């Protein structure tokens, strides 16, 4: 299935039905009075978040969604029926913007969250609505109000706790395969990953977090090199970024430190807030250095030249060496951020509560 994370659609709510101007006409009742009913309201257009969806592919082929109009009122005090509503289901994490002003209308972050996109028009009034003690035979009626019509932009940003960042072929897809249930395509050429992949990492029976793997970023992405910044939006909701780098590149002329700095520069150009997120350094493919002393010297040299202060992990995604400590550290970091804050009780109210508590008559001290 093709991954689609940005679409433009048109939604149109239903128009309200017109009111009816009618009078009761029956045998032996010459002055029956007005009996024209009101029109029904037009159908609304709703949108709801669905965790079972992971792409906006359904909106690529159907670009316009129209709700039904309300029925017109009729005689014999009959009101028109309301138009049927329509519900659009989108993946959780979808941002809905106005197509003209770019204003954010809604952001669906939970499963089952529902909002109204376009409100249907109210129905018109029949002459029965205008009946009063002094106006016993009204002939006026109103037409229904039109429904809202909007042009909308839907943008999907996946919800993940951890994001993988790095050059193509740094081993991101191999790592997410090793630690989660995701099975992305893996090959020995750049740009194997063409769309984001999500994987759930199980740490314990009720302990897990979500990892997002996006296509690799290269130097010059801001000018359109490679896949550009197109998929970096999917890292904006993550709690921590794993900056993966090939510590033992096949080409001796490639400098891992220069690659790390180039990625950081492109990240800062795209979004300063994303650049300031916690970023951990993951040195991959260290199984290519079987000598422990040589491996230690390589890692020490990279960290020293970068002046890296954040956590550093030495792994081999292929052999899964070092993956377990990395997973544990990530879960502890994510769980600490998701934990509710501990409320410190106010001493003034605690003392007041203790004073207001009556003594227990069964306490031996009061015998």
């Amino acid at each position: 299935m093709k991954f689609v994370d940005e679409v433009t659609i048109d939604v149109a709510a239903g128009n309200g039905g017109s009111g009816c101007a009618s009078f009761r006409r029956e045998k032996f009742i010459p002055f029956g009075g007005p009996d024209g009913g009101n029109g029904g309201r037009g159908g609304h257009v709703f949108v709801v978040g669905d965790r079972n969806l992971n792409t906006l592919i359904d909106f690529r082929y159907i670009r316009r969604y129209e709700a039904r109009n309300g029925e017109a009122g009729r005689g014999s005090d009959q009101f028109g029926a309301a138009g049927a509503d329509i519900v659009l289901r989108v993946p959780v994490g979808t941002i809905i913007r106005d197509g003209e002003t770019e204003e954010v209308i809604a952001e669906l972050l939970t499963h089952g969250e529902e909002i109204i996109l376009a409100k249907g028009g109210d129905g018109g009034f029949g002459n029965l609505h205008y009946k009063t003690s002094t106006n016993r035979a009204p002939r006026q009626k109103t037409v229904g109000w039109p429904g809202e019509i909007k042009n909308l932009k839907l943008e999907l940003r996946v919800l993940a706790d951890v994001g993988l960042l790095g050059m193509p072929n740094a081993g991101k897809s191999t790592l997410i395969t090793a630690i989660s249930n995701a099975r992305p395509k893996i090959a020995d050429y750049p740009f194997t990953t063409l769309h984001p992949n999500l994987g759930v990492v199980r740490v314990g029976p009720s302990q897990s977090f979500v990892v997002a793997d996006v296509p690799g970023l290269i130097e010059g992405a801001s000018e359109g090199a490679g896949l550009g910044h197109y998929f970096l939006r999917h890292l904006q909701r993550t709690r921590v970024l794993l900056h993966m780098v090939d510590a033992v590149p096949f080409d001796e002329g490639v400098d891992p430190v220069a690659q790390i700095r180039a990625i950081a520069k492109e990240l800062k150009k795209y979004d300063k807030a994303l650049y300031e997120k916690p970023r951990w350094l993951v040195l991959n493919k260290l199984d290519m250095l079987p000598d422990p002393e040589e491996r230690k010297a390589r890692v020490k040299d990279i960290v020293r030249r970068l002046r890296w202060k954040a956590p550093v992990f030495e792994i081999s995604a292929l052999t899964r060496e070092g993956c377990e400590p990395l997973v544990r550290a990530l879960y502890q970091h994510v769980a600490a951020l998701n934990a509710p804050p501990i409320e410190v009780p106010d001493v003034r109210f605690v003392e007041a509560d203790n004073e207001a508590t009556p003594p227990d008559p069964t306490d031996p001290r009061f015998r």
Side-chain angles (χ1 to χ4, degrees), residues 56-98:
L56 298 172
I57 186 67
D58 296 335
F59 301 96
R60 175 58 62 90
Y61 306 107
I62 303 178
R63 295 297 183 92
R64 185 173 177 84
Y65 298 85
E66 297 181 359
R68 297 290 297 273
N69 296 331
E71 292 185 359
R74 295 181 293 272
S76 302
D77 299 342
Q78 296 183 20
F79 285 39
D85 301 330
I86 60 175
V87 179
L88 309 180
R89 311 192 76 84
V90 299
V92 175
T94 301
I95 299 176
I96 303 174
R97 303 177 187 271
D98 187 279

Side-chain angles (χ1 to χ4, degrees), residues 174-187:
T174 305
L175 177 63
I176 197 174
T177 302
I179 65 177
S180 73
N181 58 353
R183 294 296 178 266
K185 181 181 178 181
I186 300 174

Side-chain angles (χ1 to χ4, degrees), residues 331-343:
Y331 176 74
Q332 293 176 2
H333 181 79
V334 172
L337 294 176
N338 294 335
I342 300 176
E343 296 184 2

